[in-house]
Amino acid sequence: KVSPEKEISDIGDDVIKYLDIQYLHSHVHAVSDPNIHAKNQDVKNAMAVATSYNILVTVVNPDPSSIVVNANIKEGTERYLEPFLEEIKDVASFTYQTQILRYIPLAVRPLKSTDYYYISEDNLPHLINPIESELGASTTNDINLVIYLVDRKYTPLRIRSPSGQLRSSTSFLSPQWGTVVLHQSQNGTDLDHGTTFGLLLPQLKQLLGLRASSSKSFTPRDGFLVRSRTTLVHLLRSVETLSSLIRLVDSIPNMVIGDHIKDQVDSAITDINAAHGALLNSDLDTALRHAMRARDAAEKSFSDPSILALLYFPDDQKFAIYIPLFLPVGLPLVVAFLELIKEHRRAKAKIE
């Protein structure tokens, strides 16, 4: 017979395991603990939590003359990517773009095995370099989803581990950058969007802070984890930014803080407290909204142009600017004042 206390304990353990609290703990504490970020591969894979992301979907055709595939990437993004982003539209603002790049050969030549070609896992990062150089300027909020059309002479192409094991898929993830699918299809056919996005979207989930899985849709647990991670990280970043602003103001004497900065700081503090209250009431959606507003207000106050101007002109630089202006005017006045003192002393000596 199992005691009620044991049943309650087992239920609690199951809830913690289901909600993946330890995984969430690692992501949140990695914000302030570099050791966690360095040791936890799931944390290293994920993009930094932000209020907006831009997803760039790129099809790479290394040789259009021999690889004739109808990509029709617009249809694929509308059918698979847009519903995916709709499920997490409250987590951040998502935009996406599509493009086709041509004449970018594989940076690593595939090796021939008995009945297939393969690329070693160790060489996968080298495949990204020539593609990345053609993508143009990017920011830390850019997520790259790359579909590389493999030349038929290298098909079938597999990815092989250093131990000789073959991966079940031909996609790989680059931490905090994006994911690449090595797509193989027959000439004159349409790009298989179902298979391609079936590989891209699970890895996009990893980039957004979720565990690796084969599912391209969100489960209730996924929704809880991504919203909880986003909320808590926004709150931590808000507090860190406001603390940095306080240290900055203390370090620069006589700094004048405008009323609009004060209003932004007050707004951030109000939203931080509101988010905390919502979390205590288990209202995650409300907490997420307040946390996003708090971070936005905190970062605007810290990066205000009036503060940045003071950072670029410390006191020693002000003296260097103003002394050449006032010295020509002030020097004659000082000389005249000294002459006046001497004249006063001479007059006083004659009287005595």
Side-chain angles (χ1 to χ4, degrees):
K1 183 178 180 181
V2 180
S3 66
E5 291 81 4
K6 174 63 175 174
E7 290 183 351
I8 292 173
S9 176
D10 290 343
I11 292 173
D13 291 341
D14 290 342
V15 170
I16 290 174
K17 184 177 180 180
Y18 174 76
L19 296 179
D20 222 341
I21 300 299
Q22 185 59 43
Y23 182 72
L24 180 61
H25 178 277
S26 298
H27 274 275
V28 173
H29 284 270
V31 173
S32 55
D33 189 347
N35 291 326
I36 295 179
H37 191 278
K39 296 177 181 178
N40 191 312
Q41 187 60 47
D42 289 324
V43 174
K44 290 170 66 175
N45 287 339
M47 304 289 294
V49 173
T51 55
S52 64
Y53 296 98
N54 179 52
I55 299 175
L56 182 58
V57 184
T58 303
V59 177
V60 181
N61 189 335
D63 187 3
S65 62
S66 62
I67 304 176
V68 183
V69 175
N70 179 24
N72 196 8
I73 196 62
K74 184 175 184 296
E75 177 185 330
T77 53
E78 290 177 349
R79 184 175 179 181
Y80 295 99
L81 182 60
E82 288 185 5
F84 177 91
L85 298 178
E86 181 68 20
E87 295 186 66
I88 52 172
K89 63 181 180 181
D90 58 331
V91 172
S93 172
F94 288 94
T95 58
Y96 75 87
Q97 300 168 292
T98 61
Q99 65 175 353
I100 298 178
L101 298 179
R102 298 175 175 85
Y103 302 107
I104 303 177
L106 286 171
V108 178
R109 184 182 295 274
L111 300 177
K112 183 74 168 67
S113 185
T114 52
D115 56 351
Y116 62 89
Y117 290 85
Y118 69 90
I119 296 177
S120 173
E121 283 183 351
D122 297 335
N123 289 324
L124 293 179
H126 301 302
L127 299 180
I128 294 176
N129 294 336
I131 300 173
E132 188 175 20
S133 64
E134 297 295 330
L135 294 177
S138 61
T139 69
T140 55
N141 295 357
D142 288 341
I143 301 176
N144 295 284
L145 305 182
V146 178
I147 305 167
Y148 192 97
L149 304 181
V150 178
D151 196 318
R152 287 186 63 191
K153 65 183 178 182
Y154 294 130
T155 58
L157 181 63
R158 308 291 298 274
I159 297 175
R160 193 164 82 170
S161 69
S163 63
Q165 296 294 320
L166 296 178
R167 282 196 189 181
S168 59
S169 72
T170 55
S171 65
F172 63 94
L173 183 145
S174 178
Q176 298 187 0
W177 183 83
T179 180
V180 178
V181 171
L182 300 174
H183 183 76
Q184 305 164 64
S185 61
Q186 298 295 323
N187 277 349
T189 61
D190 294 336
L191 183 66
D192 186 349
H193 296 135
T195 301
T196 303
F197 281 93
L199 296 173
L200 289 174
L201 296 184
Q203 293 185 335
L204 177 56
K205 289 169 65 175
Q206 286 183 260
L207 292 167
L208 294 176
L210 296 172
R211 284 193 187 276
S213 71
S214 58
S215 173
K216 60 179 181 288
S217 61
F218 277 88
T219 65
R221 184 183 70 166
D222 291 337
F224 168 80
L225 285 174
V226 73
R227 286 170 175 81
S228 298
R229 171 180 179 259
T230 302
T231 300
L232 296 176
V233 171
H234 279 323
L235 288 176
L236 285 175
R237 290 299 189 192
S238 301
V239 173
E240 286 183 352
T241 303
L242 292 178
S243 300
S244 298
L245 179 59
I246 292 172
R247 290 193 295 269
L248 176 64
V249 172
D250 290 341
S251 67
I252 301 179
N254 304 320
M255 174 181 278
V256 179
I257 300 296
D259 289 339
H260 64 290
I261 297 179
K262 173 184 175 297
D263 293 339
Q264 289 170 344
V265 171
D266 288 342
S267 175
I269 294 174
T270 299
D271 279 313
I272 289 173
N273 290 330
H276 181 227
L279 287 175
L280 292 177
N281 293 324
S282 302
D283 188 352
L284 185 56
D285 292 337
T286 300
L288 174 59
R289 289 194 296 271
H290 284 294
M292 293 176 68
R293 287 203 294 261
R295 184 171 183 180
D296 184 60
E299 291 184 346
K300 283 182 179 178
S301 65
F302 185 81
S303 59
D304 189 89
S306 63
I307 291 181
L308 295 177
L310 292 174
L311 294 179
Y312 287 107
F313 290 99
D315 290 340
D316 56 344
Q317 292 191 19
K318 291 178 183 177
F319 284 121
I321 292 172
Y322 290 123
I323 285 178
L325 297 176
F326 288 105
L327 192 60
V329 177
L331 188 58
L333 293 176
V334 173
V335 172
F337 181 71
L338 294 175
E339 288 295 331
L340 184 61
I341 293 176
K342 292 178 181 179
E343 183 64 28
H344 177 71
R345 289 176 177 174
R346 285 195 294 266
K348 186 177 180 180
K350 289 180 179 180
I351 295 174
E352 293 176 351

